[in-house]
Each structure stands twice: as structure tokens, then as C-alpha cells.
Amino acid sequence: MAKLPKKPVDNWEIPPVEALRATPDTRVADIVTKGTPGFAGDKALGERLLEERGARLSALQELLYANGRSGDTRSVLLVLQGMDTAGKGGMLRHVIGHVDPQGVDHASFGVPTAEEKRHDYLWRIRKALPRNGQLGVFDRSHYEDVLVVRVHNLVPPEVWEPRYEEINTFERELVESGTTIVKVAMFVSLDEQKSRLAERLERPDKYWKFNPGDITERGFWPEYQKAYQAMLDRTSTEHAPWHVVPCDRKWYSRLAVTELLIDALEKLDLDWPPADFDIDVEKARLAES
Ligand code: AMP
Ligand code: MG
């Protein structure tokens, strides 16, 4: 069977991988969080495209899964990193929700448990890496160990400082072993976060998302911006670059991440795995059965 035809990315003036890729000039303080970099359409078009492109994502993920079942050792890992209310949960429902759940290895990382604290910070990360042929999704990640940990001095600078290089080395090994890493840094404005938190306090269906600590963290916004800047400056590498995704408009951020995943999967250049049995023999056996 022919490979899935590669379609051009419609309605983007600049391909999302290019428009969103972090550069040495990226300044966290200057990110236009309401922006829609590279995209030429409006919300209605964006929402329609999300459905269309979600179907494409799903087809590509099935190819990855099929190949994994046939011995291919590659995988794709989406790393979602962003402040509370940036929309990480929505990314799971509305982007990853398009694909077959059995092909997804999902993990979320909160405050380390007692057991996790007894190990190196990468221990829980290594345990959660995607299996061959899987689409891995990290809701927060090892980057918390240079973000919240740095902002609150949970360990001294002598400990968090070397982590940038450790993470680069860790990710390089991962890429060399066949995992494509798609790193997405999600940015909302302080005002947008306020209105999203307000909604969590207004709506009974959103209370469960509210955590009083989220308001405390707002007081550390400049420190978080500094930590996010250092993360982009020091861990956006050739093998695992960061993508900076403005998230005030949810329809945009979801479409953008869908495109980033499609691009990563297309670059694997997957085809349907060949039959590992004699097709004619099996057809004859079936006819006689
Ligand atoms: P949520 O994703 O909303 O469930 O929140 C998870 C919380 O865990 C966030 O406040 C994170 O900052 C926090 N967290 C994640 N990883 C770490 C870590 N390594 N050390 C301390 N706090 C963390
Ligand atoms: Mg939260």
C-alpha cells in the first residue's frame, strides 16, 4: 500500500516548525501570548483545520504503532511544559485525543513522591519514556527540575546549574536511540492566567483544577520568566529544539502542536510494514478453511 500522501500545510504563511522554533534571540518577556505566529486564518478556520489535521495525526500515529509492532524501535515524545492554566490538559484532550489511546504512553509529573525523592531527578523520567512505536506525552517533565526547583531554591544552584547540560546529554542519548523529541514551551500572559483561574473559581466543573498554590506562584512570575528564559537559552539544541507556543488562544496552540507532531512523524518517513507471512499461502488457507 502507498504511503500516506504528504500534504502541504495549508493556511500557514510560515511552516509551524519554523515559525515557532526558539532562536538565540527569543525573549520570554517579549512573547506575544495572544499571537498566532505563522498562521494566516482565524478561529473558525483554525478549529476546522484542527479536526482535519487531527485525522492526519491519527493516521500517522497508526503507522508509527504498526511499525513498532513490527520491530521498528523508533518513538516520538511530546514534552509539554508551561505555567498552570497554559492548557496542557486541553492539549491532551484536543490534540492527543485524536489518536488511538493504545498508541499513547502518557505521563504527568507533579511534586516528587517520597520514592522519587530518593532517586536522581531523571529516574522517574527514564521510567516513563515511550516504548517503541509509541507516542509519548509528558505533561510537565524533567524541566520542572530547572524551573520550579530553581525559582524556589528547592536545591542549591550548584545542584540545578549542571542540570541544563545533563538534560542536553540525556536528550541526545534518547534521540540517538530513536526517539524524536518534540519540546513545546507553552506561554500565557499573567492576565490570561488570572481570567482562567477566575473561571476555575466560578465553575463547579472546574474547581477540581484549582490549586490555591497557583495564586501564590503568580507572585513569582518574573522569576519563572527568568527560569523559562534560561531553559530556552540552554536546552534548545539541534537534536531537541524548543518550540515557543503562544497559548492565550487555545484554538491556535492546539493546531500548532498538532502540526508539530505531524511534522515529526512525517520526518520518520514511515510506510506500512510488509507482511511477515506468504500472502498467497494465507489466502489459499483461508479459502479452504
Ligand atoms: P499540576 O500539573 O497542575 O498537577 O501541578 C503539578 C505541580 O507539581 C506543579 O506545581 C509543579 O510545579 C510541581 N512539580 C512538578 N515537578 C516538580 C519537581 N521536580 N519539584 C517540585 N515540584 C514539582
Ligand atoms: Mg495545576
Side-chain angles (χ1 to χ4, degrees):
M1 196 185 290
K3 280 181 198 174
L4 298 175
K6 187 176 173 185
K7 286 200 267 166
V9 183
D10 295 327
N11 306 104
W12 287 79
E13 284 162 340
I14 308 169
V17 257
E18 280 170 40
L20 297 169
R21 190 175 173 138
T23 74
D25 296 329
T26 304
R27 289 287 154 264
V28 168
D30 297 339
I31 295 168
V32 181
T33 54
K34 274 192 163 59
T36 60
F39 188 64
D42 59 4
K43 179 177 181 178
L45 179 62
E47 286 179 344
R48 184 166 64 70
L49 279 178
L50 178 61
E51 292 316 304
E52 264 177 57
R53 301 296 283 168
R56 168 90 183 145
L57 175 63
S58 170
L60 286 162
Q61 177 275 331
E62 190 182 352
L63 267 178
L64 178 68
Y65 185 79
N67 279 275
R69 294 292 297 259
S70 303
D72 193 321
T73 57
R74 290 175 297 176
S75 59
V76 172
L77 173 61
L78 173 67
V79 173
L80 296 174
Q81 201 52 71
M83 299 294 290
D84 258 289
T85 75
K88 299 184 290 295
M91 219 46 103
L92 278 154
R93 280 192 304 282
H94 298 280
V95 176
I96 303 306
H98 282 106
V99 314
D100 184 348
Q102 70 179 329
V104 175
D105 281 341
H106 165 263
S108 56
F109 299 98
V111 178
T113 62
E115 191 189 16
E116 287 169 351
K117 280 189 186 137
R118 284 197 294 274
H119 295 83
D120 173 66
Y121 69 104
L122 291 175
W123 179 75
R124 63 178 182 167
I125 305 297
R126 290 183 204 279
K127 280 206 311 176
L129 290 172
R131 293 165 290 168
N132 298 346
Q134 296 288 111
L135 172 59
V137 184
F138 281 1
D139 174 352
R140 302 185 190 269
S141 65
H142 39 302
Y143 286 100
E144 291 291 327
D145 292 280
V146 289
L147 292 169
V148 65
V149 167
R150 172 177 167 153
V151 167
H152 291 289
N153 298 307
L154 300 180
V155 297
E158 311 84 84
V159 177
W160 58 254
E161 180 65 33
R163 287 182 176 171
Y164 297 98
E165 267 321 301
E166 289 165 15
I167 287 172
N168 288 340
T169 304
F170 167 69
E171 290 182 353
R172 175 181 293 281
E173 286 166 6
L174 203 54
V175 170
E176 282 169 358
S177 72
T179 300
T180 301
I181 309 174
V182 180
K183 298 196 295 201
V184 172
M186 302 170 62
F187 291 96
V188 279
S189 66
L190 195 54
D191 279 351
E192 180 63 21
Q193 189 193 51
K194 192 173 202 167
S195 71
R196 290 184 186 180
L197 288 174
E199 192 173 46
R200 290 182 183 183
L201 290 170
E202 286 302 327
R203 286 177 44 180
D205 63 321
K206 299 228 172 188
Y207 294 162
W208 66 275
K209 290 192 194 180
F210 184 79
N211 171 2
D214 297 345
I215 296 178
T216 317
E217 290 309 279
R218 288 172 58 76
F220 292 89
W221 199 262
E223 287 83 357
Y224 271 106
Q225 290 218 316
K226 206 172 146 201
Y228 270 92
Q229 184 71 52
M231 176 189 88
L232 296 179
D233 289 343
R234 300 182 63 181
T235 63
S236 200
T237 56
E238 215 32 68
H239 57 272
W242 275 105
H243 300 91
V244 171
V245 178
C247 288
D248 282 8
R249 298 178 199 267
K250 290 176 182 171
W251 65 265
Y252 172 80
S253 55
R254 291 168 186 168
L255 178 63
V257 171
T258 302
E259 294 296 351
L260 296 176
L261 286 173
I262 288 173
D263 179 77
L265 285 158
E266 281 178 344
K267 284 184 176 138
L268 297 182
D269 200 24
L270 297 163
D271 204 345
W272 294 108
D276 57 2
F277 46 84
D278 185 320
I279 297 166
D280 289 332
V281 168
E282 296 307 318
K283 280 183 179 168
R285 287 185 61 229
L286 180 62
E288 282 160 21
S289 67

